[in-house]
Amino acid sequence: MVLEMSKHIVPPFRFAHVEEGISRGAFPSLKNYRFLWRLRLKCIISITPEIISDMTDFCDHFKVHHHHIKVDKFNDAVRVTPTQIVRFLEIVTNTDNHPVYVHCLDGGHIVGLFVMCLRKLQNWQDTAIINEFVRFVEDQEILKEEKEFVEGFSEKVTLPAQLPKWLWGGTTTPKHPSIPLAYLDPISKQARRSGTTAHVWDDPEITTIKTSLRQKGRVDMSTTVEALALEGLPLAIIKSMD
């Protein structure tokens, strides 16, 4: 596999940077693999009908995590589901996956639809979202069905506790204008519903310890448990305080 890589550095068709840590384009051919190798990718998202063996070989050899989102070939219709969009958003907003390359077959309508939903999450204006989309499609037009899909996208998205800087300046927000949000707790790794205060002391086990301490009249120690949980003290040690 490695010996078959081109000596030339050729980017995939319609290659472009989306944000820091995210790039997009068409399905890479063998001549593009040296270019991708130089990106030091951690993750590739293939939005394609089938998995291609060359891509699997490349990812296996260079220890790149490969996500396949199965979507039929574009044929003047939206073939994407909201669940697939959510999966994509949850991968690309996690900086542990960066740098990531996302592609469909030709780098046009399908990957463009996914990127439009990312821009919606970022609170881009509708005009700006569409202007970017049409730059990457052959007829430079957006289908009515595609526009309606993005406008109607409202699936809940679970985001990491630490956001990339390009998403709301890296600051979490409890509410999005049209997309329900949840956040992963950095300690418990459990999704928290947005609209509530997602703190580590909301963990059920921490709450049980605090209640037990209060019942024993150890109110000051209960407050200390909150502080230690916030600092990331292992739960096993906190339990020993009860």
Side-chain angles (χ1 to χ4, degrees):
M1 167 60 203
V2 180
L3 296 177
E4 295 178 1
M5 286 200 303
S6 170
K7 295 181 180 180
H8 303 289
I9 301 173
V10 182
F13 182 52
R14 290 180 174 147
F15 178 86
H17 290 288
V18 178
E19 291 289 354
E20 182 179 0
I22 305 175
S23 54
R24 60 174 285 178
F27 191 96
S29 62
L30 288 176
K31 67 181 181 181
N32 304 134
Y33 283 138
R34 184 170 294 278
F35 176 89
L36 293 181
W37 169 73
R38 290 171 64 91
L39 295 179
R40 300 295 189 264
L41 296 172
K42 288 185 180 178
C43 178
I44 291 177
I45 305 174
S46 298
I47 310 171
T48 56
E50 303 294 339
I51 298 176
I52 307 300
S53 60
D54 286 341
M55 174 63 72
T56 301
D57 292 342
F58 175 86
C59 291
D60 288 346
H61 184 85
F62 292 110
K63 305 296 188 267
V64 177
H65 195 68
H66 187 211
H67 296 273
H68 180 237
I69 299 177
K70 185 173 182 178
V71 175
D72 291 338
K73 184 177 179 180
F74 175 73
N75 187 23
D76 292 331
V78 173
R79 305 285 185 177
V80 176
T81 68
T83 300
Q84 291 171 323
I85 296 292
V86 169
R87 183 183 174 194
F88 162 78
L89 293 175
E90 293 179 353
I91 294 171
V92 299
T93 54
N94 186 342
T95 56
D96 289 341
N97 295 320
H98 296 175
V100 55
Y101 176 64
V102 55
H103 70 89
C104 58
L105 292 177
D106 65 356
H109 283 269
I110 293 179
V111 72
L113 193 61
F114 281 76
V115 172
M116 280 201 293
C117 291
L118 174 62
R119 298 310 192 193
K120 180 175 182 176
L121 181 66
Q122 293 177 280
N123 289 322
W124 277 33
Q125 293 184 347
D126 292 345
T127 301
I129 293 175
I130 293 173
N131 285 343
E132 180 185 46
F133 174 85
V134 298
R135 286 171 45 211
F136 294 94
V137 296
E138 187 174 358
D139 53 9
Q140 295 189 335
E141 293 183 357
I142 184 171
L143 299 176
K144 178 182 177 183
E145 187 179 0
E146 292 171 324
K147 183 179 179 182
E148 291 175 347
F149 179 89
V150 176
E151 290 175 346
F153 176 73
S154 59
E155 289 288 299
K156 184 172 76 172
V157 178
T158 301
L159 299 171
Q162 184 64 49
L163 298 177
K165 293 296 184 183
W166 46 258
L167 184 58
W168 315 322
T171 303
T172 58
T173 179
K175 189 175 182 180
H176 187 277
S178 56
I179 301 174
L181 302 176
Y183 293 94
L184 291 175
D185 188 288
I187 293 180
S188 69
K189 304 299 184 184
Q190 297 297 314
R192 307 293 190 183
R193 290 183 303 170
S194 64
T196 61
T197 305
H199 293 304
V200 292
W201 52 76
D202 288 327
D203 187 287
E205 293 188 82
I206 295 295
T207 301
T208 299
I209 296 171
K210 288 163 53 184
T211 301
S212 175
L213 288 168
R214 289 194 179 103
Q215 290 173 346
K216 295 175 182 178
R218 301 167 67 188
V219 178
D220 291 343
M221 185 58 72
S222 174
T223 302
T224 301
V225 164
E226 287 187 349
L228 292 175
L230 183 60
E231 291 297 323
L233 190 68
L235 188 58
I237 296 177
I238 295 176
K239 284 182 176 180
S240 68
M241 300 172 63
D242 185 8

